[in-house]
Amino acid sequence: MEVSKRLKSIPPYVFAEIGKKRQAAIARGVDVIDLGIGDPDQPTPRHIVEAMHQALDQPVNYKYPPFGGTREYRLEAAKWCHNRFGIDIDLDNEITSLIGSKEGIHNIIAAYVDPGDVALIPDPGYPVYGTSTILAGGTPHHMPLGASNDFLPVFEDIPQAVALKAKIMFLNYPNNPTAAVCDLSFLERAVAYAAKHDILLVHDLAYSEMTFDGYKAHSVFEVPKARDVAIELHSLSKTYNMTGWRIGFAIGNSQPVKALAQLKSNIDTDVFKAIQMAAIAAFNGPRTHIDECNALYTERRDVAVEALDKLGWHVKPNKATFYMWLPVPAGMSSSQFSNLMLDTAGIVVPPGTAYGPSGEGWFRVSLCTGKERLKEAFARMEKHAITFDRAAAKV
Ligand SMILES: *Cc1c(COP(=O)(O)O)cnc(C)c1O
């Protein structure tokens, strides 16, 4: 039996590949330090788990959940957005539940992209934007994110012919993998660009609460005109240490929200009601655990910044996400560096190319590992003389 041409048209999921290499090293007896995948190492807060326990004891929750999320879930998610961003959401038209934002990314593409259409995607970027576009028969157009422009795309660089064919544009700030943040004026320019070219703007806001040093992330809907052109994907995964629970929501213009909900109603049957009730407990719970996690990530970041400085990587401390985006040493490709790190130091780091062609010359470090393990990783780099010479690398 042959698998579809569609499936053959996409590469294997990058983290599945990295996972295989990691497993092989562990099987060889290597004490692997995984600075690869971005998955919070802290547990889901107790009050959320307790809400799930209670919901599990109510048989009414065992039935099919309503499409688009329960009214209560939408209400509490909307209230959370109101408190956090000062925005108002119409519960019947402007919000729908998601089985995590990865699902939302795939399905919003399926709802809007036809063969021949272009999707504008950040490069480097979360891999799903590109692969789901290819699965839909569309063509990804990479918007390079470079250090010289603070890892923001330059809309003026998008060729006019590409803009004409573009149906959808993805933005993601705070950003994975570069850890970059944006200000409101950038989002204003993005909204204006999308409006001018009749493009659906999708803002992936998975890291909205994972910010440090006083920076606060923006919802695109803080830009009033965004209502005309945008949809925003929210996720509880990174905010509440709930990656395995699979829950999020989309807010925004009623047309894309309804299109997404319509498509989803034909494919999935929403999120287990008990999980929606746990999510409500998350929305209504104290913010202390978010602050605690951010303090933990800040502490790890500072450990990393200091250790990297000694190794020659002089980096500005990132204001958001648990990632660091670093240049590879001169004379090496990203994948060569990634292999070197695993083979000589037993450290997993994804090569920048896993996130797009502009990731060449870069690698990502995740800070989802305890401080002592992080220190151990940098000590191993020092021991094996894995260092960075800025002058040689010319970045
Ligand atoms: C982690 C991540 C997601 C996926 O989150 P889920 O809600 O768990 O599916 C989406 N976008 C980006 C940029 C991410 O890093």
Side-chain angles (χ1 to χ4, degrees):
M1 276 181 287
E2 285 258 337
V3 300
S4 66
K5 293 189 189 72
R6 194 178 301 119
L7 179 57
K8 281 193 256 176
S9 71
I10 59 167
Y13 192 56
V14 39
F15 291 116
E17 288 299 289
I18 291 166
K20 273 188 214 156
K21 278 195 196 168
R22 180 175 159 272
Q23 278 320 112
I26 291 170
R28 290 197 305 273
V30 179
D31 172 27
V32 170
I33 302 178
D34 192 345
L35 306 183
I37 200 155
D39 191 345
D41 58 314
Q42 297 300 302
T44 307
R46 199 61 220 167
H47 64 277
I48 301 173
V49 178
E50 290 299 338
M52 178 76 174
H53 277 299
Q54 281 180 19
L56 274 177
D57 282 335
Q58 297 165 11
V60 64
N61 293 331
Y62 308 164
K63 295 185 173 292
Y64 283 126
F67 294 117
T70 64
R71 187 173 172 85
E72 205 186 350
Y73 175 68
R74 282 179 283 125
L75 174 70
E76 298 302 331
K79 269 203 234 162
W80 184 91
C81 288
H82 179 83
N83 292 337
R84 175 64 180 79
F85 305 110
I87 55 178
D88 293 312
I89 294 157
D90 171 358
L91 290 190
D92 295 319
N93 299 297
E94 295 180 334
I95 180 166
T96 193
S97 56
L98 294 175
I99 312 172
S101 51
K102 187 178 188 181
E103 179 260 302
I105 295 164
H106 176 80
N107 281 322
I108 194 69
I109 291 171
Y112 277 84
V113 174
D114 280 319
D117 288 343
V118 165
L120 302 172
I121 65 170
D123 169 27
Y126 188 59
V128 186
Y129 311 139
T131 43
S132 289
T133 298
I134 294 167
L135 285 173
T139 307
H141 175 83
H142 293 125
M143 301 184 289
L145 309 184
S148 61
N149 198 44
D150 298 325
F151 301 103
L152 301 171
V154 180
F155 301 124
E156 297 74 36
D157 287 352
I158 300 165
Q160 189 61 23
V162 171
L164 281 172
K165 286 188 181 169
K167 204 65 191 290
I168 196 166
M169 172 163 70
F170 282 87
L171 292 176
N172 162 226
Y173 293 98
N175 185 259
N176 174 10
T178 67
V181 296
C182 73
D183 59 20
L184 210 52
S185 74
F186 169 77
L187 292 174
E188 276 165 9
R189 280 184 282 129
V191 166
Y193 183 86
K196 182 174 170 199
H197 298 281
D198 194 23
I199 292 168
L200 173 63
L201 173 59
V202 186
H203 192 216
D204 178 355
L205 196 45
Y207 297 91
S208 66
E209 307 314 300
M210 201 186 285
T211 59
F212 326 121
D213 304 341
Y215 174 79
K216 274 187 114 181
H218 297 286
S219 164
V220 73
F221 297 109
E222 290 172 49
V223 178
K225 287 216 167 85
R227 278 307 156 121
D228 302 335
V229 294
I231 186 168
E232 189 164 76
L233 308 180
H234 289 255
S235 167
L236 280 81
S237 288
K238 315 285 166 46
T239 305
Y240 297 106
N241 305 333
M242 290 176 76
T243 48
W245 296 62
R246 312 311 305 138
I247 186 159
F249 59 93
I251 56 172
N253 184 285
S254 61
Q255 193 219 41
V257 167
K258 284 181 162 175
L260 181 58
Q262 187 202 339
L263 179 67
K264 278 170 58 56
S265 69
N266 284 284
I267 297 169
D268 64 63
T269 310
D270 225 273
V271 178
F272 182 26
K273 267 196 268 183
I275 296 177
Q276 297 190 47
M277 293 175 86
I280 290 168
F283 295 135
N284 293 332
R287 250 194 102 86
T288 39
H289 99 276
I290 298 179
D291 299 335
E292 282 163 18
C293 284
N294 285 344
L296 194 69
Y297 296 136
T298 310
E299 197 185 358
R300 291 174 185 175
R301 178 203 65 183
D302 293 343
V303 164
V305 167
E306 193 186 321
L308 284 162
D309 195 67
K310 288 196 191 119
L311 297 170
W313 276 276
H314 308 302
V315 294
K316 259 197 281 175
N318 45 294
K319 289 201 181 102
T321 79
F322 44 32
Y323 304 116
M324 298 179 83
W325 183 243
L326 304 164
V328 304
M332 228 182 274
S333 71
S334 290
S335 76
Q336 282 169 334
F337 180 75
S338 185
N339 289 334
L340 172 84
M341 286 282 274
L342 185 58
D343 296 340
T344 66
I347 302 168
V348 175
V349 286
T353 43
Y355 307 93
S358 295
E360 184 54 85
W362 298 82
F363 68 102
R364 194 188 76 175
V365 167
S366 290
L367 303 172
C368 300
T369 305
K371 209 166 63 173
E372 295 313 314
R373 263 322 245 179
L374 276 177
K375 284 183 181 164
E376 161 77 14
F378 296 116
R380 287 188 197 175
M381 288 174 74
E382 191 175 357
K383 181 174 159 211
H384 295 285
I386 302 175
T387 58
F388 184 72
D389 178 350
R390 194 182 185 93
K394 290 189 290 244
V395 288

